[in-house]
Amino acid sequence: MSTAPTHPLRRLSVRIRVQIALICVVTLATLLATLQFSEASGTYQEAVRQDVRRQGAVLEDIRFVYGDEAPLAFEVAVAQARADALGPLRGDGRLAASEYRLAAQTAFGLRTAEGASPVLATDRYRHQRLGYDLPRRLSDVQRRSPELYALDPDATLRSGDRRVTWGLVAAGGAGATVLVAVLAAAVLRPRRWRRGTSGPPGGRVLRKLELLPQPATASAHRGTVTLHLAVSALLLLLPLGQVVAASVEQRAQAEAARKAVRTTTSIAAGGQRTAFLLAAQEEAVLGHLRATARELAALDTGTSAEDARHERTVAVTERGIATHIGEIAAHMGRLPGAEDDVDAAAMAALRSAPDDWGGLVDENLRQVDLAERASTRGTFLSGATALAVVSEMLAGMAVAALALGAGRRWVLWTAAGTVGSAALVFAALL
């Protein structure tokens, strides 16, 4: 019984196997670099989200303490200070007794009212003479949201930077492999690569098939083959440049967004504390003015000498109260210190000044500029890639036409496309 004849096997030459191996290495390295840059981009966006949540918590807690609780606590402190100062005088005349009773009842009623703020309802924040400890209250309020204050956007950003580093290593490996392949194709002429290897009996070796043009082993038109190799190298290298540019753009955009969020928080948070402090200091100034007005009123006609003396005594006491109110304002509106255990981001926001805001805005603009430049660089590299694709097709046609004794025009078109692609790459690097 006869068997059907088998077709002779076609084996790949050593050169083709090496080219396939190099292309596989470049492809895998490019995929790894792309994956790392993609993960880094997601990490950068996560850092922005964390910063938004954390800065939002900082701003809300500062607004709650200095905007909602502090004004009423200050009024209670002022009323208590007036009651303490006027108490010794309440037996000397009706005016002191009336003012004392009004202040004492105000302080007591606000502290014991239903639903009173914890600042007033407990003695934890109360100072013997200077009102209430607002930084301590802020620290306690922040402890109610440990999951938000545990967020570390800076650490998340550094994690993204580490991924970018690995991506650059992979991209560098791919680029180095391409350069080695180009160098080998241009200068190496081993006999085995030119002649191939013998196969088994009846087998044939595919020696003319080329994935990467080989100028060193080309029998003719070596310049055109070299041009074709340059185009092939561009097609392998340009995607790496695009993913690197995209990664730079993503990081710059993330940093710009974070700086914008922090600037907004610093302005709003600093404004809350400053507004409270200014209002409290105005109360002290008004106290001095009222004391002066009361002294002048004591000189009006129709007032008995005894009543006039009592009113002047109350006026002097109120001047002392006004000075005390200024001390209360300074204590309650003071900046938190290290001993207050306030979150670092909140402390930075409260301590920021207009000069600091300008620095944050400048950094935000710098990052925006970096993102724009990276985007432009990526656009140039995309255009270079498109031209390289066209040049690759033209190069293949040029090589085929030259083998038939024609094709000079195709070589010129290929050269023009390659020069254009290289020019765009150069523009991207500037």
Side-chain angles (χ1 to χ4, degrees), residues 125-430:
Y125 310 106
R126 187 175 180 182
H127 190 277
Q128 185 175 0
R129 291 189 62 257
L130 300 176
Y132 296 89
D133 192 341
L134 295 183
R136 187 182 210 183
R137 173 59 178 163
L138 177 60
S139 176
D140 288 349
V141 169
Q142 289 175 336
R143 289 194 179 92
R144 299 186 307 189
S145 306
E147 72 286 355
L148 294 178
Y149 285 95
L151 296 175
D152 192 349
D154 292 330
T156 303
L157 193 76
R158 290 193 295 270
S159 175
D161 290 341
R162 286 192 294 272
R163 290 185 178 275
V164 167
T165 299
W166 284 110
L168 290 174
V169 170
T177 303
V178 171
L179 294 178
V180 168
V182 169
L183 181 63
V187 302
L188 294 182
R189 296 173 57 85
R191 181 182 301 274
R192 193 180 184 191
W193 284 31
R194 286 182 282 122
R195 296 185 179 179
T197 56
S198 59
R204 287 183 291 176
V205 178
L206 292 177
R207 294 193 297 270
K208 293 184 178 181
L209 177 64
E210 288 186 345
L211 301 178
L212 290 176
Q214 304 287 310
T217 58
S219 58
H221 309 296
R222 185 172 179 180
T224 303
V225 177
T226 302
L227 182 61
H228 193 184
L229 176 63
V231 175
S232 301
L234 282 175
L235 286 176
L236 292 173
L237 291 174
L238 286 175
L240 297 173
Q242 288 178 268
V243 295
V244 171
S247 175
V248 173
E249 181 183 5
Q250 289 289 334
R251 191 188 193 286
Q253 288 178 342
E255 275 290 80
R258 294 177 67 224
K259 291 297 184 292
V261 170
R262 294 187 179 190
T263 302
T264 302
T265 301
S266 296
I267 294 174
Q272 285 285 349
R273 187 193 70 87
T274 302
F276 165 74
L277 180 59
L278 290 176
Q281 290 172 338
E282 287 175 1
E283 183 69 22
V285 173
L286 290 175
H288 282 288
L289 293 176
R290 283 194 292 265
T292 301
R294 191 177 296 282
E295 270 195 287
L296 294 175
L299 301 177
D300 288 346
T301 57
T303 303
S304 65
E306 182 64 22
D307 288 342
R309 182 193 64 78
H310 180 64
E311 288 192 14
R312 285 196 295 272
T313 301
V314 172
V316 171
T317 302
E318 286 189 332
R319 185 171 287 108
I321 293 172
T323 301
H324 188 194
I325 291 173
E327 295 171 352
I328 293 173
H331 175 74
M332 293 184 65
R334 76 187 192 281
L335 288 169
E339 69 281 359
D340 294 311
D341 196 26
V342 173
D343 175 72
M347 191 178 299
L350 289 171
R351 290 179 174 272
S352 64
D355 291 341
D356 302 317
W357 304 339
L360 288 171
V361 171
D362 290 342
E363 178 62 17
N364 169 265
L365 295 177
R366 189 181 75 85
Q367 293 295 336
V368 169
D369 183 61
L370 285 176
E372 290 179 351
R373 282 187 286 171
S375 177
T376 302
R377 187 175 297 115
T379 301
F380 278 129
L381 292 175
S382 296
T385 302
L387 275 178
V389 170
V390 175
S391 299
E392 171 68 14
M393 292 187 294
L394 293 173
M397 296 177 68
V399 171
L402 287 172
L404 299 176
R408 297 293 180 183
R409 183 179 58 183
W410 294 109
V411 173
L412 293 177
W413 282 110
T414 303
T418 305
V419 170
S421 180
L424 288 175
V425 173
F426 182 74
L429 295 177
L430 291 179

Side-chain angles (χ1 to χ4, degrees), residues 47-67:
V48 174
R49 288 190 288 268
Q50 289 181 359
D51 231 333
V52 170
R53 294 174 61 196
R54 200 177 195 285
Q55 294 294 325
V58 167
L59 182 56
E60 173 57 24
D61 289 342
I62 290 176
R63 185 206 61 77
F64 176 70
V65 172
Y66 287 92

Side-chain angles (χ1 to χ4, degrees), residues 44 95 99 256 294 379:
Y44 291 149
L95 177 61
E99 291 292 332
R294 191 177 296 282
T379 301

